[in-house]
């Protein structure tokens, strides 16, 4: 029995071979830190980190490579943006499709007097930007919103939301966990002040690395989430004002950064949109393949019905069969690996009508094939037919 990996919304697998090569080379041939060593290898490593920042700045159309801040993951990036920006009395608008990486920090901030309200999405995960406009109050400071749902793949209209933000003078913080490297995420087009990303999903890099690309004014206005050594201005016991050191402290994940640098070059060689087109072809093929199961009532698909307006993430429910049992059988009997449950997004499931049972989620990646889709459909037919 072969392995059919369909959990790419959690982390892409496999990574391009150049990513593993870059990580291995750094660990076995370089090994030193940046901003800590006074020798050529350390300077070369620092140059490679700067090149990675610049590649990310270019990808997201950010203002300055110095305003690209590395974190451990997108969750830490969102915590940095939210906790660094918001103060008691501030109000924030989110969508009803948000991940707990947004909702849990906001619920922490409620303890110090930050409030939030939800712009309610339709049962397919789509959002009318007018819902955001209706939530604006005199205390509103920012809109924080996912670019695409990790549950059903629906893409939210962030360019239109950005227009609402500009009209009211609000900051826009984007959770690009499911779209970075797949969809265009241009800060200038979205009107975004912060784009939070993770390395290990659509960007095809290693786990343990993420970051945020910031508008310059917001970057200098954020309170650091973590303070400590930066390798710069070491005569001061205060956090430096210079970016990115103002928001980065401690030893960075240099093997991860080297792997991400290789992944970004790999993506650039293939051209914008190629990965998305492939993943949507697979999504469309899967939706077509399970249509008879949907017609029979054995499967309910969640979210949008076709390939338009989404990324390559599909959630299904199996009426009359426990979703966890179905996911187990997919793996144990057919080697089809999926994710089951609430996917750290209970608000999204309430919106989609899949709470509290959750869904079986199949998410397609660059390395998946039409044979993988056929295997998944055949497995579902065998289990549910």
């Amino acid at each position: 029995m072969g392995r059919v990996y369909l959990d790419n919304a959690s982390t892409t697998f496999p990574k391009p071979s150049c990513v593993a090569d870059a990580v291995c080379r750094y660990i076995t041939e370089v090994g030193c830190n940046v901003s800590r060593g006074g020798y050529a290898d350390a300077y070369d490593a620092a140059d490679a980190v700067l090149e990675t920042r610049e590649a990310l700045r270019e990808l997201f159309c950010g203002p300055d490579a110095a305003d690209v801040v590395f974190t451990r993951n997108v969750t830490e990036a969102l915590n940095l943006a939210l906790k660094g920006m918001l103060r008691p009395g501030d109000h924030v608008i989110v969508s009803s499709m948000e991940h707990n990486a947004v909702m849990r920090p906001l619920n922490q901030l409620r303890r110090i007097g930050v409030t939030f309200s939800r712009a309610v999405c339709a049962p397919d995960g789509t959002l009318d930007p007018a819902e955001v406009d209706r939530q604006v109050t005199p205390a509103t400071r920012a809109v924080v919103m996912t670019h695409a749902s990790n549950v059903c793949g629906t893409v939210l209209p962030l360019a239109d939301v950005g227009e609402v933000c500009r009209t009211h003078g609000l900051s826009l913080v984007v959770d690009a966990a499911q779209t970075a490297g797949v969809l265009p995420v241009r800060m200038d087009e979205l009107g975004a002040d912060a784009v939070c990303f993770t390395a290990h999903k659509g960007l095809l890099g290693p786990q343990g690395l993420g970051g945020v690309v910031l508008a310059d004014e917001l970057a200098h206005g954020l309170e650091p989430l973590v303070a400590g050594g930066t390798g710069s201005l070491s005569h001061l016991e205060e956090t430096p004002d210079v970016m990115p050191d103002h928001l980065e402290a401690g030893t960075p994940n240099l093997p991860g950064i080297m792997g991400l640098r290789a992944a970004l070059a790999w993506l650039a060689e293939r051209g914008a949109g190629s990965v998305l087109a492939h993943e949507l072809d697979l999504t469309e093929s899967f939706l077509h393949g399970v249509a008879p199961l949907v017609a029979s009532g054995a499967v309910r698909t969640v979210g949008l019905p076709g390939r338009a307006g989404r990324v390559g993430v599909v959630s299904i429910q199996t009426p009359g069969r426990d979703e966890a049992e179905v996911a187990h059988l997919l793996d144990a009997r057919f080697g089809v690996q999926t994710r089951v449950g609430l996917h750290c997004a209970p608000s999204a499931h309430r919106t989609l009508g899949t709470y509290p049972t959750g869904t079986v989620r199949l998410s397609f990646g660059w390395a998946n094939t039409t044979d993988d889709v056929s295997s998944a459909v055949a497995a579902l037919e065998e289990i549910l037919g």
Side-chain angles (χ1 to χ4, degrees):
M1 179 175 64
R3 179 188 191 187
V4 181
Y5 182 82
L6 298 178
D7 195 21
N8 290 279
S10 178
T11 190
T12 52
F13 179 83
K15 313 296 184 189
S17 61
C18 62
V19 175
D21 292 344
V23 172
C24 182
R25 180 184 178 278
Y26 180 80
I27 292 172
T28 59
E29 298 181 24
V30 181
C32 57
N33 281 330
V34 298
S35 300
R36 272 80 169 172
Y39 42 86
D41 282 347
Y43 299 143
D44 289 344
D47 287 342
V49 172
L50 180 57
E51 289 172 10
T52 310
R53 292 189 204 274
E54 178 56 37
L56 289 164
R57 184 214 64 78
E58 183 176 354
L59 178 67
F60 296 115
C61 298
D64 194 316
D67 294 329
V68 177
V69 177
F70 288 116
T71 61
R72 290 178 300 171
N73 43 54
V74 68
T75 299
E76 186 173 281
L78 286 160
N79 273 263
L80 170 62
L82 297 175
K83 295 175 179 177
M85 171 176 56
L86 298 174
R87 302 291 180 264
D90 287 342
H91 171 256
V92 180
I93 301 168
V94 299
S95 81
S96 65
M97 295 297 291
E98 299 308 312
H99 189 278
N100 279 341
V102 169
M103 299 315 305
R104 287 181 175 177
L106 287 179
N107 275 295
Q108 279 189 318
L109 288 165
R110 289 176 69 179
R111 300 171 192 165
I112 66 165
V114 173
T115 60
F116 65 85
S117 57
R118 301 179 208 259
V120 177
C121 297
D124 60 5
T126 55
L127 173 67
D128 180 353
E131 289 294 323
V132 177
D133 192 68
R134 281 191 279 271
Q135 299 292 332
V136 177
T137 75
T140 305
R141 174 79 184 276
V143 174
V144 185
M145 197 164 289
T146 187
H147 195 187
S149 168
N150 72 306
V151 177
C152 64
T154 300
V155 177
L156 276 64
L158 289 193
D160 295 329
V161 173
E163 287 290 340
V164 174
C165 290
R166 284 190 286 273
T167 298
H168 295 283
L170 309 177
S171 296
L172 175 60
V173 178
V174 176
D175 175 1
Q178 296 297 331
T179 56
V182 179
L183 287 178
V185 189
R186 296 177 56 99
M187 293 181 71
D188 53 350
E189 292 181 354
L190 299 179
D193 298 281
V195 172
C196 301
F197 64 90
T198 192
H200 69 100
K201 298 187 182 187
L203 292 178
L204 305 182
Q207 288 102 325
L209 179 67
V212 55
V213 185
L214 294 160
D216 193 61
E217 182 177 355
L218 180 59
H220 290 281
L222 290 181
E223 188 70 20
L225 185 65
V226 178
T230 61
S232 61
L233 302 176
S234 295
H235 62 293
L236 298 176
E237 292 186 341
E238 297 292 330
T239 298
D241 291 330
V242 63
M243 289 291 294
D245 299 16
H246 178 61
L247 299 174
E248 287 184 356
T251 303
N253 179 0
L254 291 169
I257 292 172
M258 301 308 167
L260 176 58
R261 178 176 174 236
L264 291 168
W266 188 93
L267 284 167
E269 287 177 5
R270 274 142 190 83
S274 61
V275 171
L276 176 64
H278 174 66
E279 293 177 0
L280 289 181
D281 285 345
L282 298 178
T283 301
E284 187 174 40
S285 178
F286 176 79
L287 291 171
H288 177 76
V290 296
L293 290 173
V294 173
S296 72
V299 166
R300 177 199 167 209
T301 57
V302 178
L304 294 166
R307 66 184 288 152
R310 69 185 307 150
V311 293
V313 178
V314 179
S315 270
I316 63 170
Q317 288 195 307
T318 53
R321 295 290 294 272
D322 181 78
E323 279 79 14
E325 178 196 10
V326 171
H328 168 71
L329 292 173
L330 283 170
D331 179 34
R333 290 174 53 186
F334 303 97
V336 177
Q337 299 175 326
T338 64
R339 183 175 177 181
V340 65
L342 294 175
H343 319 309
C344 301
S347 179
H349 281 279
R350 289 187 175 97
T351 300
L352 297 165
T354 54
Y355 187 90
T357 55
T359 59
V360 178
R361 187 184 71 186
L362 304 93
S363 46
F364 306 102
W366 71 275
N368 287 126
T369 66
T370 54
D371 286 344
D372 293 338
V373 173
S374 297
S375 295
V377 171
L380 287 168
E381 289 173 342
E382 181 73 19
I383 295 167
L384 301 172

